[in-house]
Amino acid sequence: NGAVINAYTPERLAVVHPSTPQLIDVADGIWQLAGMSISWPVVIEGEDGLIIYDTGDNLEEGRHFAGEVAKLSDKPVVAIIYSHAHYTMGASAFTEGGRDVEVIGHPMINRNVTQGGGLGTYFPEITPLQLARASEQFNNYTPRSGPDAPIAGIIELKERGFLPVTRPVEDGEELTVAGVKMQFFTRHHSDTDDCLTVWLPERKAVLNNLFWPNMPNFYTPRGALYRDPFNWIEGLKQIRSLEPELLLSTHTFPVKGQSQVREHLNLFSDGIAFILDQTLRGILLGLGPDELRYFIKFPPHLESFPFLAESYGELAWYPPYFFNYALGWWNGDAASLHRLHPDDEAGRLVKLMGGQGMVREAAEDALGRDEYAWAAQLATYLLRLDGSDQAAKNVKAAALREMGHRARGSIMRSYALSQALELEGKVDIPRLIPPSVDQIALAPPERYLSR
């Protein structure tokens, strides 16, 4: 698409991401729809119908998936299983024409989707802010081609087709669905608290949202519930204990062979443990959140594992996140307990640096020396003093664009390029996106009213 990128080698990315959408014939009676969306649905053939694991981000995607599934078999879709709340929005496409479908999921799914839109939130009142940040994160404001084009999926705010779970399952529960024996696990989660891992004992296969094609994204800048590394690791260990021969995940290619699956699970969980352990070590060495950003580097065997690449989030974000969860925001320095207001601080610093003209010159100089983070910081001081300073906007936009083009992770890239375009007056990014009338109607009254 013409995007300027700082990429991992194509060979490394090809292990986890397809270059073109494809239908994978995984095993007898199991298929995966790969690279057609951020969500990679799995199709399982049962005796009297098909079972779909995940349905996409919106109704349009669901209809596309339904069309692809129809090419595989004449059997009807009789059951939908949700891996977690994020890919529940294409479900009603599989009921068009009046078909009845059983919907299986974690007991928390219905509440999470109706109260927070599936984003994961402590306070439902701030969902409009999270939704706005999510639209920025998933490339709603970047052009579809050219240097600023996306390097990852686009999630647009389109019509939703959520179907509530009709068959909530408990941890360890066993069911036979369309003649297929299944066992469900609900205790462990990754990026939501409603993940559902599915074990198919007769096929030695696991369907899951715990093994990812990139470094686990513990902190997402859009905001979400705490993502617990201990729980995530325990979930991976549980999968490993089943000794599966086939690992099917929500975002990446199948892993086949018992030894291969075990090796992948070990390396992935070791990566999580390394990030957490080294963060705790850094905290005990006296490092605060800002210093911890620069403290952790993967050893070669983890750095080279394709499924731990920083192609989505960034390692530097996670140690401050764990620090905040463990100790709160204070870095231990008493002087930081009472700080100047950022606008006041900017005014004093700009004055110390010789005034706005000198700071603007320093920002431009930093830009010319490829010191993009510093250039953006200096320009931000100027914009705190005068939000209409177009010269400062131009410097910050240029710095953010360079940072975006150099970012390996798609999240940083989308935020940086979207905000660069906004500073240049080319797009308008809303600060809040309120829920639709349909979403409000679906939500329980306590979502908006409390005593």
Side-chain angles (χ1 to χ4, degrees):
N1 59 13
V4 174
I5 62 171
N6 176 15
Y8 293 93
T9 63
E11 294 78 14
R12 183 174 179 181
L13 286 181
V15 174
V16 296
H17 296 295
S19 56
T20 56
Q22 56 189 270
L23 175 65
I24 302 174
D25 190 349
V26 179
D28 184 29
I30 301 179
W31 302 270
Q32 188 165 32
L33 308 180
M36 301 178 189
S37 160
I38 290 177
S39 168
W40 291 32
V42 174
V43 184
I44 303 163
E45 185 175 22
E47 293 175 358
D48 56 354
L50 303 176
I51 304 158
I52 309 298
Y53 185 73
D54 281 341
T55 64
D57 290 303
N58 53 59
L59 186 54
E60 181 181 309
E61 272 192 6
R63 286 171 175 155
H64 178 72
F65 292 150
E68 293 296 317
V69 171
K71 299 174 185 177
L72 297 174
S73 170
D74 294 331
K75 292 181 179 180
V77 173
V78 295
I80 290 170
I81 304 174
Y82 293 142
S83 69
H84 63 307
H86 289 171
Y87 306 118
T88 61
M89 301 303 174
S92 65
F94 294 94
T95 64
E96 291 177 346
R99 294 189 297 268
D100 288 329
V101 175
E102 184 174 43
V103 183
I104 301 168
H106 192 286
M108 296 284 288
I109 287 275
N110 292 346
R111 175 189 177 277
N112 287 350
V113 172
T114 57
Q115 292 205 15
L119 290 171
T121 179
Y122 288 107
F123 305 107
E125 291 86 349
I126 65 169
T127 300
L129 176 61
Q130 290 178 283
L131 191 57
R133 287 188 176 189
S135 69
E136 191 177 347
Q137 173 182 334
F138 290 108
N139 299 294
N140 281 256
Y141 308 104
T142 52
R144 296 297 173 261
S145 62
D148 295 345
I151 60 170
I154 301 164
I155 299 180
E156 298 178 276
L157 300 176
K158 294 183 176 180
E159 183 182 0
R160 293 177 162 197
F162 173 66
L163 293 178
V165 169
T166 57
R167 184 65 169 85
V169 290
E170 301 297 332
D171 189 63
E173 184 172 347
E174 298 179 5
L175 288 177
T176 298
V177 182
V180 180
K181 292 182 179 180
M182 299 183 176
Q183 186 175 18
F184 302 92
F185 300 100
T186 61
R187 289 176 54 206
H188 302 113
H189 49 263
S190 53
D191 57 339
T192 69
D193 62 356
D194 52 26
C195 291
L196 184 63
T197 298
V198 185
W199 168 235
L200 309 181
E202 295 176 330
R203 308 193 187 194
K204 298 291 185 182
V206 169
L207 288 70
N208 79 102
N209 183 41
L210 294 165
F211 182 78
W212 284 17
N214 46 256
M215 185 182 296
N217 192 39
F218 291 108
Y219 173 69
T220 180
R222 72 173 184 268
L225 299 175
Y226 179 67
R227 299 175 177 183
D228 185 347
F230 284 117
N231 188 282
W232 202 321
I233 290 172
E234 288 304 309
L236 293 164
K237 287 181 178 178
Q238 183 177 60
I239 293 174
R240 187 180 65 188
S241 72
L242 298 169
E243 299 185 346
E245 297 174 4
L246 179 59
L247 185 67
L248 292 158
S249 305
T250 54
H251 301 291
T252 193
F253 291 111
V255 181
K256 297 182 179 182
Q258 188 175 351
S259 61
Q260 279 286 94
V261 170
R262 185 176 185 84
E263 180 184 24
H264 279 61
L265 293 171
N266 284 344
L267 285 167
F268 199 72
S269 59
D270 284 353
I272 296 174
F274 185 86
I275 295 170
L276 179 61
D277 291 348
Q278 293 304 302
T279 297
L280 300 178
R281 173 173 167 258
I283 291 172
L284 293 173
L285 288 171
L287 303 182
D290 291 333
E291 293 92 350
L292 285 169
R293 292 174 180 273
Y294 303 95
F295 182 64
I296 299 176
K297 303 290 182 187
F298 269 164
H301 77 288
L302 295 178
E303 173 63 31
S304 61
F305 183 50
F307 295 87
L308 288 172
E310 291 178 277
S311 57
Y312 186 47
E314 297 193 7
L315 175 57
W317 300 345
Y318 309 144
Y321 180 64
F322 294 144
F323 181 102
N324 187 73
Y325 184 79
L327 295 172
W329 56 263
W330 185 43
N331 64 5
D333 181 356
S336 67
L337 287 171
H338 287 286
R339 296 287 301 268
L340 294 176
H341 189 285
D343 291 348
D344 188 9
E345 180 181 55
R348 291 168 184 257
L349 288 174
V350 168
K351 183 177 179 180
L352 283 172
M353 288 186 276
Q356 289 168 270
M358 292 291 289
V359 174
R360 190 176 297 109
E361 185 178 328
E364 292 170 350
D365 183 59
L367 191 62
R369 295 196 309 273
D370 300 344
E371 297 175 357
Y372 304 119
W374 181 229
Q377 189 171 333
L378 290 172
T380 300
Y381 291 144
L382 293 172
L383 291 169
R384 281 196 169 275
L385 299 182
D386 179 6
S388 65
D389 185 340
Q390 191 58 50
K393 288 183 180 182
N394 292 341
V395 171
K396 186 171 182 177
L400 289 176
R401 176 164 286 107
E402 295 294 344
M403 293 167 74
H405 288 169
R406 284 162 172 75
R408 287 185 169 186
S410 63
I411 296 177
M412 173 61 192
R413 178 188 176 86
S414 186
Y415 278 121
L417 296 179
S418 297
Q419 292 184 20
L421 292 164
E422 184 178 45
L423 288 163
E424 293 166 343
K426 296 175 181 177
V427 299
D428 291 316
I429 301 175
R431 193 175 62 84
L432 304 174
I433 297 178
S436 68
V437 172
D438 289 342
Q439 289 172 288
I440 294 171
L442 282 171
E446 59 267 24
R447 168 69 177 77
Y448 298 100
L449 300 169
S450 62
R451 289 191 287 181

